[in-house]
Amino acid sequence: MLAMASPRSTASTPCTRLHSSVHISNLDKPSSCHISLKSHFTPKFQVAENRIVAKAPCRSSKIMHIRCEEIYAPGAEEMYIPEEFRQIYEEIEKLGPAILDKTWYPKGVDSDNTKKTWYIVDATDKVLGRLASTIAIHIRGKNLPTFTPSVDMGAYVIVTNAEKIAVSGKKRTQKLYRRHSGRPGGLKEETFDQLQKRIPERIIEHAVRGMLPKGRLGRRLFTHLKVYKGPDHPHVAQKPVPLPIMDKRIMIKK
Amino acid sequence: MDKGKILYLAKGFRGRAKNCIRIARERVEKALQYSYRDRRNKKRDMRGLWIQRINAGTRLYGVNYGEFMHGLMKENIQLNRKVLSEIAMHEPYSFKSLVDISKNAFPGNKVHFFVASKKPAALIK
């Protein structure tokens, strides 16, 4: 505690010390987010002669941070609290910052592409629409409590064995995929079967694209889907995790 | 309103709407109407976002939003959706305990199935 005598000061009451940061770093299985709590108080009062310099909050955690608003810049957090209010702040200080006041909005680091999970799923004998639905949910990030519609918070998904995807009923020969070249008379149709022989990846891509939002963000989310024919994929370095599927009817009934 | 005020409000608009008073006046009027409407819509949108977040948070534990809230209401826990969504994001252990309270109060009607070898992502046990 530095004691600096300012010429104007008259009162020499000691100021309460505010602690600067509290860590929660004991999450063994970080399935969801981890935060580092920082002191929330803005310096609203005049600085008194006893200046308290709070320590800069240390970011020692190796897991992803959800950052609260960093109001406390190092060196700026001197706060004088008059005696009658000191009791309130002493209690509140122990509770931590008021993160519940404002709805959390992700910062750039929270939606960092290099930190995202990669999932892998084998499409063999899975029902097309049900698989596409699960994939779309994970790509968009709707399974996470940190979901934000305007930010890309989802994961990457790899689909292998795309040519073995299944559909029920007579869709194999009757489901039509249409595209138009833009010119008059340019409507082209092909059945599920024909497309599967020609470009099997397109079937799953078409299905998932229809389930993702349409717009700038939706197009970017679509690039997080990687579909491959056959069992191999070039993303071994990303260490993909098996995609958790909660749908009990995802396997085709034979 | 005079021209200066309107053009000040028209900063950031597209094309001539930020420069030319005739066009800017229309766009600014519209913008003010939208902001009036959206001050009321924001409250609705935010609540929807909180509900989506809570839903995602509870589904990690196999409970959906409706059952969860019903269980909380039964226990007369009056935490609002904003706070619940923040807890779900930042305080996972506290949220798990809330989900457990809700499950005790209202176990729900469904039985959840999992596909053979595929378990959901790591849950806090």
Side-chain angles (χ1 to χ4, degrees):
Chain A
M1 258 173 79
L2 305 169
M4 279 175 50
S6 95
R8 279 193 291 121
S9 66
T10 50
S12 55
T13 50
C15 308
T16 45
R17 177 185 288 279
L18 294 173
H19 72 93
S20 59
S21 71
V22 171
H23 274 282
I24 295 181
S25 48
N26 55 356
L27 292 182
D28 299 316
K29 294 185 200 169
S31 69
S32 53
C33 28
H34 163 97
I35 56 160
S36 145
L37 301 177
K38 296 169 190 53
S39 186
H40 158 84
F41 299 115
T42 50
K44 288 184 187 137
F45 303 96
Q46 272 195 331
V47 176
E49 58 284 5
N50 285 335
R51 289 166 157 238
I52 302 166
V53 180
K55 288 165 279 194
C58 55
R59 286 165 248 272
S60 59
S61 165
K62 290 150 201 121
I63 318 168
M64 178 182 89
H65 272 87
I66 302 286
R67 282 153 211 246
C68 309
E69 276 193 43
E70 297 189 38
I71 305 170
Y72 245 65
E77 32 339 359
E78 296 113 5
M79 190 165 167
Y80 168 64
I81 306 169
E83 251 197 81
E84 50 265 29
F85 301 120
R86 211 157 292 154
Q87 259 185 337
I88 313 173
Y89 283 93
E90 280 181 30
E91 293 302 316
I92 290 178
E93 175 190 322
K94 288 176 199 150
L95 297 174
I99 55 170
L100 302 179
D101 280 353
K102 264 187 150 181
T103 304
W104 178 80
Y105 192 85
K107 307 264 182 190
V109 291
D110 296 321
S111 64
D112 187 8
N113 279 345
T114 53
K115 306 262 180 0
K116 290 196 172 139
T117 337
W118 283 68
Y119 290 109
I120 184 166
V121 65
D122 184 352
T124 318
D125 291 337
K126 294 206 162 65
V127 177
L128 173 63
R130 289 178 185 272
L131 178 65
S133 172
T134 317
I135 293 173
I137 286 174
H138 280 89
I139 290 184
R140 194 163 183 222
K142 287 211 82 171
N143 55 323
L144 300 172
T146 50
F147 168 70
T148 312
S150 57
V151 175
D152 177 8
M153 302 291 289
Y156 286 77
V157 177
I158 306 167
V159 183
T160 54
N161 287 322
E163 73 280 8
K164 302 208 179 91
I165 196 87
V167 286
S168 59
K170 295 187 188 165
K171 287 193 270 265
R172 199 163 278 274
T173 45
Q174 288 185 351
K175 180 171 169 67
L176 290 173
Y177 285 89
R178 294 186 172 95
R179 61 189 191 278
H180 200 284
S181 63
R183 284 149 160 251
L187 182 67
K188 301 216 174 77
E189 280 181 350
E190 57 191 334
T191 60
F192 183 95
D193 226 356
Q194 292 165 342
L195 187 57
Q196 203 172 42
K197 286 198 193 86
R198 207 164 69 94
I199 309 172
E201 298 93 342
R202 194 177 282 185
I203 289 176
I204 298 185
E205 289 178 352
H206 186 277
V208 174
R209 191 190 288 127
M211 298 185 187
L212 288 174
K214 324 288 182 285
R216 223 187 283 183
L217 181 61
R219 289 190 287 275
R220 182 184 299 186
L221 293 178
F222 177 70
T223 60
H224 293 178
L225 170 70
K226 316 277 182 194
V227 185
Y228 297 102
K229 195 162 58 165
D232 298 322
H233 63 91
H235 305 288
V236 180
Q238 278 69 28
K239 303 200 192 96
V241 174
L243 181 76
I245 299 180
M246 309 292 262
D247 192 344
K248 59 182 177 175
R249 286 191 262 169
I250 192 145
M251 302 304 286
I252 191 84
K253 279 195 205 138
K254 297 232 161 123
Chain B
M1 298 168 83
D2 66 347
K3 270 199 262 186
K5 275 194 201 165
I6 291 180
L7 289 173
Y8 178 77
L9 287 173
K11 283 194 191 290
F13 285 15
R14 183 184 248 216
R16 276 188 282 165
K18 64 181 178 301
N19 300 325
C20 308
I21 186 62
R22 284 181 174 183
I23 302 171
R25 180 171 284 131
E26 293 174 15
R27 295 283 97 216
V28 164
E29 279 177 11
K30 209 48 187 291
L32 293 172
Q33 287 170 11
Y34 285 145
S35 72
Y36 178 88
R37 177 201 70 181
D38 289 331
R39 277 193 292 278
R40 285 131 182 83
N41 281 357
K42 183 161 45 158
K43 299 155 181 47
R44 310 177 204 167
D45 295 341
M46 280 309 211
R47 184 169 160 131
L49 178 63
W50 300 329
I51 292 176
Q52 286 181 356
R53 285 179 169 169
I54 297 170
N55 208 346
T58 59
R59 277 171 199 256
L60 292 172
Y61 303 108
V63 177
N64 61 18
Y65 168 83
E67 294 175 354
F68 174 65
M69 294 309 284
H70 187 50
L72 289 191
M73 294 305 143
K74 276 195 160 186
E75 291 285 323
N76 196 25
I77 292 176
Q78 293 177 352
L79 291 171
N80 62 11
R81 283 139 184 89
K82 174 166 95 171
V83 153
L84 282 172
S85 72
E86 295 292 316
I87 294 175
M89 287 192 280
H90 298 127
E91 313 275 349
Y93 291 112
S94 310
F95 193 69
K96 168 139 209 321
S97 61
L98 279 171
V99 172
D100 290 337
I101 291 172
S102 173
K103 270 197 227 178
N104 281 333
F106 179 65
N109 305 319
K110 276 172 75 172
V111 182
H112 292 269
F113 291 97
F114 299 123
V115 177
S117 60
K118 294 187 170 35
K119 289 263 147 79
L123 298 179
I124 301 172
K125 302 280 182 278

